[in-house]
Amino acid sequence: MPDLWTKKKEIDFFNDSRKFAAPEQLFYLGDDSRYYAYWPKSYKGKKSTLQSRNALIGNFTEKFSVDLLQDFASTKGLYAIQGVICDEIGLSPQSPADVVLCKSKQREQRAKDVVAIFEVKMSIVWNWELKNNQLICLGDFKTHKGNPGLLRSDSMLKAIGKSINIRVSSYSASRIPIIILGNTSITESYIPKVDHLFHAGIIQGFWSVNPNPLDNNGDNLKQTPDNGFIRMDSYDELKQNLENLVSEKYEFFSSMKSRKELGKMIEIANRESEFEAKAEKFFSLIRK
């Protein structure tokens, strides 16, 4: 059974990356000659910006997500693939999907073979010090000055923007659910936005796969009022949400029509005898 995000995953990241990356590429070097993953809130010296770690943690968390999803995918005859390209739904070589559940193994996919898209927005959550070649945990994200994962406004905006780009690329994207996969909670200001995006059908969920991002478990959001954001506390919980995600047939629709136009469409669609036929008729009318 795959493991969710824990401190051990972060230790694995640093240990793996240190095989080919210098400490200065992974840690901030303080005036006190100490190596920090983030600037502690108590730190008073000069500060610099660290960009070199971003690509490394991005690739590590995408591979982690592939491993996390592959066990479930296998039970459905699917594959979890990193960096998927599908021009039909706006996934170009310059902006591929982070991880996709799909029906075939290749990186280049047809829209009809894409089952679900996962955009990965994870980063280092805890603060770490590299001391005498050993990693020491200095505290959770409340103790340092960085905003990790889904707590970063720019990460949220990028995830939302990419999801909208997929949604408006073509009608082929209308049936594909999109999940934003993170390893932190979200800020309070994003709670209504996340639920609105969920209800609007643009994004089918913001999921955190870190059960315990805070060491004292305080102020640790489990879910938003309408479940636009959910924290997964176990692999079984994640598996159940994945099951719900792929077991239903989804259809995204969005338009700006007058009430008179909508009324006519509903009346015409209602002439069909079966529920699914009514829906198909309505979608065909609203997209004209």
Side-chain angles (χ1 to χ4, degrees):
M1 182 181 295
D3 293 325
L4 300 185
W5 192 265
T6 61
K7 288 182 181 180
K8 183 180 182 302
K9 293 296 178 185
E10 300 195 359
I11 293 171
D12 290 343
F13 163 72
F14 283 116
N15 287 339
D16 290 349
S17 299
R18 285 171 60 210
K19 294 174 183 177
F20 55 86
E24 291 77 12
Q25 294 176 281
L26 300 169
F27 300 91
Y28 296 96
L29 179 58
D31 288 347
D32 51 7
S33 299
R34 294 170 67 181
Y35 285 106
Y36 301 106
Y38 290 105
W39 295 116
K41 287 186 175 179
S42 59
Y43 179 77
K44 305 298 182 184
K46 291 181 181 178
K47 302 181 187 69
S48 58
T49 302
L50 185 66
Q51 299 290 346
S52 55
R53 189 171 69 200
N54 292 348
L56 297 174
I57 189 63
N59 188 53
F60 182 88
T61 55
E62 286 178 24
K63 288 181 176 178
F64 159 79
S65 300
V66 168
D67 293 339
L68 186 64
L69 297 172
Q70 186 56 60
D71 186 67
F72 171 81
S74 297
T75 66
K76 302 295 180 181
L78 302 173
Y79 304 92
I81 308 294
Q82 183 180 358
V84 163
I85 299 167
C86 181
D87 290 330
E88 192 178 350
I89 54 174
L91 299 174
S92 66
Q94 293 74 36
S95 183
D98 292 338
V99 181
V100 167
L101 292 186
C102 41
K103 297 176 182 177
S104 57
K105 279 187 175 182
Q106 64 264 26
R107 188 184 177 206
E108 291 193 31
Q109 290 285 334
R110 300 174 298 178
K112 67 179 184 179
D113 292 330
V114 174
V115 175
I117 296 172
F118 295 81
E119 283 300 302
V120 181
K121 295 299 177 186
M122 301 185 195
S123 57
I124 297 300
V125 178
W126 288 270
N127 199 9
W128 300 89
E129 180 182 0
L130 180 64
K131 185 176 182 180
N132 298 325
N133 214 33
Q134 297 294 318
L135 286 165
I136 301 168
C137 185
L138 300 179
D140 58 41
F141 65 82
K142 294 284 188 179
T143 68
H144 62 68
K145 296 184 179 182
N147 286 324
L150 297 177
L151 293 167
R152 291 180 60 93
S153 183
D154 60 340
S155 292
M156 292 291 284
L157 290 173
K158 286 178 182 177
I160 294 167
K162 189 165 183 180
S163 300
I164 291 173
N165 183 61
I166 293 169
R167 285 280 173 247
V168 302
S169 60
S170 77
Y171 290 132
S172 298
S174 65
R175 60 166 192 80
I176 303 171
I178 301 172
I179 296 293
I180 311 304
L181 210 56
N183 59 358
T184 67
S185 59
I186 58 174
T187 60
E188 188 174 343
S189 65
Y190 269 97
I191 289 175
K193 297 182 181 72
V194 160
D195 279 345
H196 181 70
L197 287 162
F198 176 69
H199 283 302
I202 294 170
I203 296 170
Q204 280 56 65
F206 290 75
W207 296 356
S208 171
V209 292
N210 185 351
N212 300 297
L214 292 173
D215 291 337
N216 60 8
N217 288 320
D219 193 25
N220 187 7
L221 182 67
K222 170 60 180 176
Q223 60 196 51
T224 52
D226 296 335
N227 293 329
F229 168 85
I230 303 174
R231 186 192 74 227
M232 306 296 167
D233 289 340
S234 67
Y235 178 73
D236 284 341
E237 186 177 0
L238 172 64
K239 188 167 66 173
Q240 184 58 59
N241 279 276
L242 288 168
E243 184 70 44
N244 296 340
L245 187 73
V246 303
S247 63
E248 294 288 342
K249 291 183 179 179
Y250 293 91
E251 196 77 35
F252 172 79
F253 61 98
S254 178
S255 68
M256 182 69 78
K257 304 281 188 183
S258 70
R259 292 188 178 185
K260 185 176 181 180
E261 286 179 292
L262 284 170
K264 287 181 180 179
M265 292 175 188
I266 292 169
E267 183 177 358
I268 293 170
N270 198 42
R271 295 170 188 165
E272 301 293 332
S273 59
E274 302 293 333
F275 287 138
E276 287 199 9
K278 291 175 191 287
E280 289 172 7
K281 186 65 175 180
F282 179 74
F283 292 139
S284 70
L285 292 169
I286 206 168
R287 288 168 176 168
K288 285 184 178 178

